[in-house]
Amino acid sequence: MSTPTHRLTTAQALVRFLAAQYTERDGVRQRLIAGTWGIFGHGNVAGIGQALVEHAHVMPYHQGRNEQAMVHAAVGYARQRGRLSAQAVTTSIGPGATNLVTGAALATINRLPVLLLPGDYFAAHPADPLLQQLEHPVEADVSVNDTLRPVSRYFDRITRPEALIASALNAMRVLTDPAETGAVTLALPQDVQAEACDWPGEFFAERVWRVRRPAPDPAELAAAADAIRSASRPLIVAGGGVHHSAAEDALRALADATGIPVASTQAGKGSLRHDHPADVGGIGHTGTAVADHLARTADLVVGVGTRHTDFTTASGTLFQNPGVRFVNLNITAFDAHKLAATTLVCDARAGLTSLTGALAGHRVDAAYQAEYRAGKERWERVVEAALRADDDSAVPTQPQVLGALDAVVGDEDVVINAAGSLPGDLHKLWRARSPRQYHLEYGYSCMGYEIPAAVGVQQAAPDTPVWALVGDGTYLMMPTEIVTAVQEGLPVNVVLVQNHGYASIGGLSESVGAERFGTAYRHRVADGSFTGAPLPVDLAANAGSLGMDVLRAKSVGELREALRAARASDRPTCVYVETDPATSAPPAEAWWDVPVAEVAGREPAVLAREHYDREAARRRRHL
């Protein structure tokens, strides 16, 4: 019997194929590609654009304003949906395609799935060169889309319609692989998009991609359990893999059974609720005093779903116990082998559940529990002092902005941030109440992520209050998706913190001897110097002009009222607040390696280098 075929263009076939893909984990099934973001131009308007019109009944379309921002929105969506559902992004050839690179890097670094469908030059070269084509003198098959190769987990250029079948299946395989996922790019030459072909009916049949939970190897499990049993001061470091695996309950069960304290990376914060007795807060350069003390004295560090970045390890200076060893539970062998660790390569939930069973009857010493719980209580007093505002008429500090928000949000709210000085304050001070509440993108720390990510999160969880926390520098990078929120009727909330410059880099600049050069927004006068007065720029008015409701808060009391009103609103709302630059945030508890000029003629740089040399001397290679 012959197989039925369907005569469709390549773009039409791709859209129909994507609409029939599903994931399943733990018996729960959902759409893999839930919708497509797009900005149309030469290169995709007649191919993918026409296909989306043709198949609008099966593939939702979302109009974006900036290509990078569309990827950020898709990443926010995928993270909120636990990586089990994703979105596609289509762009024109040329600048539309190259604008994807930053978003793709962010997705891949954070191990979050997004499907990129940039237009490409004509495969048949009927006109050469064409508009926006990069001409390479010795490699005629190179296009600007090749910039996406190093930031994609899978890349292909579809130069013939029939090549789509194998490539589309490989793309879905990578998107749904918990160890390999990230940005996936299918570059689509514009003539191939519009070319018709007879497609086998099986290509469009519903296909379910089961997201695996690999169990731990018995020998690795036994070795990890032995290492934990022999440790007197073990510490668990929870990374983003805990959330990706939905392993929070399994982690809590292990902590309850063994009494081992749990610190968290930026991606892992919220793995335990903030008031759980074993939760000691953030770890590393932006960590809490109690977590970093435990890290310095730990004889065993159990990493769960963490990449052990420089912020987590304080650039190799944090784990100072002479006999410290590591166990890494990770779904990727690449990460599990870091720091010369004993490896446990498996799904986080499966591994934690197995560890709890293997450690039955084992518990850390009561004195160790009493020590870290006392440290946790001391740190909570620090948090209360930083967040508390005793004078409702005062201009709030940035931590007091977080305190006001903490008093308004519910357990289900999602708080989004990515860059500036806010990540440090949030990691130290925010009291996460649920697994999805704390949404920090800190793998790439990309300014401009917050607002488009809030749009994606709101799409993924339409009944959840969503907050994008942005400073003025981040806002100026990418406010455009405010228009998208307005168009799609998404009631995202933007808390816009105005401090008239790059506060985080300003502080870093001062600490490394660069004297805050180029980090403040100030008037330039005739002699080339800058005045002390801020620029007459009204970012609140800008947000209003893009369609948001805007609430201006000049004091702590007004801020609280504005946040309550924003949470109750069904419209996109911006809460604008200028902050007191005299921060009440506690200082960093651990170092971060930013090299300082080895020779300099100015005293701030000379002193900064002396401090750098002292700190760098404490760096260790864990072998």
Side-chain angles (χ1 to χ4, degrees):
M1 181 181 295
S2 61
T3 301
T5 59
H6 302 263
R7 189 156 184 82
L8 301 167
T9 68
T10 304
Q12 291 165 358
L14 177 58
V15 171
R16 275 194 59 178
F17 169 83
L18 294 177
Q21 308 305 301
Y22 293 83
T23 63
E24 184 180 288
R25 188 177 72 178
D26 303 330
V28 178
R29 174 175 157 168
Q30 53 190 293
R31 276 278 293 267
L32 172 52
I33 304 300
T36 298
W37 287 92
I39 296 176
F40 294 110
H42 130 81
N44 71 337
V45 64
I48 292 291
Q50 190 283 327
L52 288 169
V53 173
E54 189 95 2
H55 299 290
H57 59 292
V58 294
M59 179 58 68
Y61 166 71
H62 310 292
Q63 184 182 54
R65 269 76 199 171
N66 175 283
E67 292 86 358
Q68 177 183 324
M70 292 193 297
V71 185
H72 293 337
V75 167
Y77 178 93
R79 177 167 169 173
Q80 184 67 22
R81 297 299 295 267
R83 306 196 302 182
L84 300 174
S85 185
Q87 294 175 322
V89 177
T90 181
T91 70
S92 64
I93 190 172
T98 51
N99 280 350
L100 295 173
V101 174
T102 296
L106 181 148
T108 294
I109 286 172
N110 286 282
R111 317 285 172 84
L112 291 164
V114 60
L115 177 61
L116 307 180
L117 305 172
D120 214 325
Y121 60 70
F122 287 89
H125 295 268
D128 194 22
L130 69 151
L131 178 66
Q132 299 177 328
Q133 180 178 339
L134 172 71
E135 289 188 275
H136 195 289
V138 296
E139 295 181 89
D141 63 340
V142 168
S143 84
V144 295
N145 284 328
D146 289 282
T147 60
L148 289 160
R149 288 182 184 270
V151 293
S152 297
R153 295 298 290 175
Y154 180 81
F155 179 99
D156 196 10
R157 181 176 284 112
I158 310 301
T159 57
R160 291 293 307 145
E162 57 268 27
L164 176 66
I165 293 177
S167 190
L169 291 168
N170 273 320
M172 300 305 103
R173 172 186 58 81
V174 174
L175 288 172
T176 57
D177 188 326
E180 296 296 331
T181 194
V184 167
T185 300
L186 298 182
L188 301 170
Q190 54 183 313
D191 52 345
V192 178
Q193 289 181 49
E195 187 174 346
C197 183
D198 292 325
W199 302 87
E202 293 91 341
F203 186 54
F204 307 115
E206 287 190 2
R207 190 180 302 266
V208 178
W209 301 83
R210 289 181 173 82
V211 180
R212 65 182 68 89
R213 288 192 180 277
D217 175 81
E220 286 195 335
L221 177 62
D226 286 346
I228 294 172
R229 285 184 182 277
S230 63
S232 59
R233 297 182 65 83
L235 173 67
I236 294 172
V237 176
V242 175
H243 293 312
H244 296 330
S245 175
E248 297 89 358
D249 289 346
L251 176 63
R252 184 173 62 251
L254 177 63
D256 289 343
T258 63
I260 300 174
V262 178
S264 56
T265 68
Q266 286 279 18
K269 193 174 173 74
S271 294
L272 289 184
R273 189 180 158 97
H274 75 93
D275 52 5
H276 188 281
D279 180 71
V280 294
I283 190 171
H285 177 64
T286 53
T288 68
V290 56
D292 284 351
H293 167 72
L294 293 172
R296 291 186 181 97
T297 59
D299 58 355
L300 181 72
V301 178
V302 181
V304 182
T306 176
R307 297 188 298 126
H308 290 295
T309 66
D310 60 341
F311 256 57
T312 298
T313 67
S315 300
T317 65
L318 187 57
F319 306 115
Q320 288 294 321
N321 187 315
V324 66
R325 291 293 180 264
F326 298 85
V327 169
N328 283 338
L329 190 167
N330 205 292
I331 200 165
T332 70
F334 177 81
D335 289 318
H337 280 275
K338 290 175 178 176
L339 303 175
T342 296
T343 60
L344 192 57
V345 181
C346 60
D347 169 74
R349 193 175 82 179
L352 289 168
T353 300
S354 297
L355 265 181
T356 302
L359 293 169
H362 174 72
R363 194 166 183 83
V364 298
D365 188 79
Y368 183 49
Q369 272 191 274
E371 175 192 338
Y372 73 70
R373 288 183 178 182
K376 178 180 172 68
E377 290 177 5
R378 288 192 299 272
W379 183 255
E380 184 57 30
R381 291 194 289 272
V382 172
V383 172
E384 285 289 348
L387 300 183
R388 185 178 62 246
D390 296 322
D391 182 359
D392 275 7
S393 65
V395 174
T397 64
Q398 184 165 281
Q400 288 168 349
V401 172
L402 300 183
L405 184 60
D406 177 73
V408 168
V409 299
D411 289 8
E412 69 278 16
D413 292 35
V414 179
V415 176
I416 301 172
N417 186 242
S421 57
L422 276 163
D425 290 355
L426 284 160
H427 200 205
K428 287 192 286 274
L429 302 174
W430 188 260
R431 297 180 283 209
R433 307 178 200 174
S434 62
R436 297 283 174 214
Q437 184 177 76
Y438 189 87
H439 183 128
L440 262 283
E441 188 290 297
Y442 216 60
Y444 207 43
S445 187
C446 186
M447 295 178 72
Y449 171 80
E450 295 90 341
I451 293 173
V455 170
V457 170
Q458 195 76 82
Q459 288 178 322
D463 298 323
T464 298
V466 179
W467 305 84
L469 273 57
V470 298
D472 47 21
T474 290
Y475 180 86
L476 287 167
M477 290 276 184
M478 200 169 293
T480 52
E481 300 318 300
I482 287 174
V483 178
T484 302
V486 172
Q487 177 175 334
E488 301 236 349
L490 300 170
V492 298
N493 298 306
V494 174
V495 180
L496 177 49
V497 179
Q498 173 65 278
N499 52 31
H500 301 287
Y502 300 117
S504 174
I505 294 301
L508 178 62
S509 172
E510 187 171 37
S511 73
V512 298
E515 304 175 53
R516 293 185 177 265
F517 177 76
T519 62
Y521 301 153
R522 294 291 186 265
H523 282 286
R524 186 186 291 275
V525 293
D527 65 359
S529 63
F530 292 88
T531 68
L535 296 176
V537 175
D538 191 340
L539 299 184
N542 177 262
S545 74
L546 296 178
M548 294 198 101
D549 292 343
V550 177
L551 304 173
R552 296 175 185 259
K554 297 181 180 179
S555 67
V556 172
E558 290 181 5
L559 176 62
R560 290 197 191 101
E561 291 304 314
L563 292 171
R564 291 191 188 99
R567 190 173 188 273
S569 176
D570 61 359
R571 287 258 311 142
T573 303
C574 174
V575 176
Y576 174 86
V577 59
E578 294 202 31
T579 56
D580 182 343
T583 182
S584 57
E589 294 288 336
W591 188 58
W592 182 43
D593 189 348
V594 178
V596 177
E598 192 168 3
V599 294
R602 297 176 66 85
E603 185 180 16
V606 172
L607 295 175
R609 180 67 194 198
E610 292 174 357
H611 175 74
Y612 176 84
D613 288 339
R614 287 193 300 271
E615 295 294 329
R618 298 188 299 110
R619 183 186 287 111
R620 295 181 60 185
R621 297 284 188 183
H622 298 286
L623 300 171

